[in-house]
Amino acid sequence: MATHNTKHDITVEAAAETVFGLVADVAGWPQVFGPTVHVDLLRDEAGEQLLRIWAMANGEVRDWTSRRTLDRAAGTISFQQVVSSPPVASMGGKWIIEPLGNGERCSVTLTHEFEAIADDPDAVAFIQQAVDRNSNAELAALKTAAEQQDGPDRLRFTFSDGVSIRGPVSEIFEFINRADLWPRRLPHVSRLDLTERVPGVQRMVMDTRSPDGSIHTTESVRLCFADRGEILYKQLQVPPVMSAHTGRWEFRAAADGLVEARSWHTVTLNPAGVREALGQEASMEEARQKVRHALGTNSLTTLRHAKEHVEAPPA
């Protein structure tokens, strides 16, 4: 099979150490990189990582398992897919982060080398297009995150809300999993279009109704894991006050036949969007409180209706 090589680069107005840290922190990737939906860190030992990654590629969710080698001193992170997703036969590459000038800026180079199954020309074109689109998007997002003056600690926050439900985990999981039924089950959901071409991988477009009567449309990708009692998701289009929003529904058996059903949200605020939506004098704390209230209210409403549904006596 023929090997195809790509190279993409960008200059970032931030220290190389800062940029290296963002690339090394795979848990934070869905908040930084638009195409990345979720990353499971399977192993992390002495500069060697094993990852399972779900990401958007040409409008579809694809997943693969990669091995990474991190060399902080050299500023490089090498990666090689262990289990690829067709039509990719093999894929590897390297992040190269080099300081420039006085060390307050750096160059970032992202290389890939790949092979397509059976050297199919259409597959090669598909992979090339996905690599180009994702590489450019990732480098631009990395630059934005690294150069953000407010810093991730002020802009990113995580919170959760929970409800105790008496019933089997499987029934509670199914209530959240069957989002296509939400318009008839949840008062704040007026429309929901759900597609699931691959079992457990859902694409959904949802209209929710606010207390003032306004309608908000969101588009998300969800990864549904019945075996571990979790549904993970990423919002693909976020309102101006955010630059990223990911979440997790989790269901854990507790004592006395109860299940702790909990909704988690991680949000990264967009300072420019906050000022545009809330006014030039608006603080990040004010935006945090408004976002936390809006998302938490919807999640708790969903969990309370799940509780009513599961605990209702048989008809």
Side-chain angles (χ1 to χ4, degrees):
M1 288 184 287
T3 300
H4 305 268
N5 295 278
T6 69
K7 178 180 178 182
H8 300 82
D9 52 58
I10 200 169
T11 299
V12 180
E13 301 297 325
E17 294 82 1
T18 299
V19 176
F20 187 95
L22 289 169
V23 180
D25 177 24
V26 293
W29 278 14
Q31 292 292 314
V32 175
F33 300 126
T36 306
V37 175
H38 178 70
V39 180
D40 273 347
L41 182 56
L42 305 176
R43 189 173 66 244
D44 188 5
E45 300 172 349
E48 298 285 338
Q49 294 178 334
L50 187 66
L51 319 171
R52 187 178 179 190
I53 303 168
W54 288 262
M56 302 299 297
N58 291 341
E60 300 178 13
V61 180
R62 296 185 176 268
D63 71 280
W64 60 90
T65 301
S66 289
R67 182 180 293 111
R68 301 205 311 171
T69 301
L70 289 72
D71 188 336
R72 190 172 292 272
T76 61
I77 299 177
S78 303
F79 56 90
Q80 181 66 49
Q81 290 186 3
V82 178
V83 178
S84 298
S85 177
V88 176
S90 69
M91 175 81 75
K94 181 181 287 189
W95 293 87
I96 305 167
I97 304 162
E98 299 176 295
L100 298 174
N102 61 3
E104 295 304 314
R105 57 201 299 263
C106 63
S107 67
V108 182
T109 302
L110 176 56
T111 67
H112 289 85
E113 58 178 38
F114 67 87
E115 296 174 335
I117 294 175
D119 281 330
D120 176 35
D122 290 338
V124 171
F126 175 90
I127 298 167
Q128 181 76 57
Q129 184 180 43
V131 169
D132 285 342
R133 179 182 290 114
N134 283 9
S135 295
N136 287 326
E138 288 173 356
L139 288 172
L142 183 65
K143 178 180 175 69
T144 297
E147 293 179 355
Q148 184 59 254
Q149 293 182 353
D150 292 275
D153 292 340
R154 288 192 61 222
L155 299 179
R156 187 184 305 173
F157 62 101
T158 298
F159 65 92
S160 71
D161 297 288
V163 171
S164 293
I165 303 176
R166 187 172 299 281
V169 168
S170 59
E171 288 188 21
I172 305 166
F173 177 92
E174 191 62 13
F175 185 94
I176 304 299
N177 181 58
R178 288 299 306 272
D180 56 311
L181 300 179
W182 283 3
R184 72 179 75 158
R185 289 176 167 178
L186 300 176
H188 64 285
V189 177
S190 60
R191 178 184 70 95
L192 197 145
D193 296 330
L194 185 143
T195 57
E196 189 171 353
R197 294 192 180 96
V198 176
V201 180
Q202 299 178 344
R203 187 84 172 259
M204 54 187 277
V205 180
M206 178 172 63
D207 288 345
T208 55
R209 187 181 298 104
S210 298
D212 63 4
S214 60
I215 299 295
H216 299 273
T217 302
T218 58
E219 183 177 0
S220 304
V221 168
R222 305 203 310 175
L223 308 175
C224 306
F225 300 101
D227 58 332
R228 64 196 215 193
E230 289 185 338
I231 295 178
L232 313 169
Y233 62 88
K234 179 170 185 174
Q235 194 171 330
L236 299 181
Q237 295 180 351
V238 294
V241 297
M242 307 177 195
S243 61
H245 171 214
T246 59
R248 180 174 83 252
W249 301 94
E250 66 177 21
F251 316 99
R252 302 286 183 259
D256 302 323
L258 293 174
V259 171
E260 179 68 13
R262 185 160 289 276
S263 169
W264 290 86
H265 297 271
T266 298
V267 172
T268 301
L269 296 174
N270 174 12
V274 167
R275 289 189 289 269
E276 179 181 343
L278 303 182
Q280 291 300 312
E281 303 303 318
S283 67
M284 294 304 107
E285 181 57 31
E286 179 184 354
R288 180 193 299 246
Q289 292 176 4
K290 287 182 178 295
V291 169
R292 199 261 184 260
H293 175 74
L295 295 178
T297 297
N298 283 351
S299 294
L300 271 177
T301 298
T302 300
L303 289 175
R304 287 167 179 156
H305 278 78
K307 178 181 177 72
E308 292 177 5
H309 177 81
V310 172
E311 293 183 352

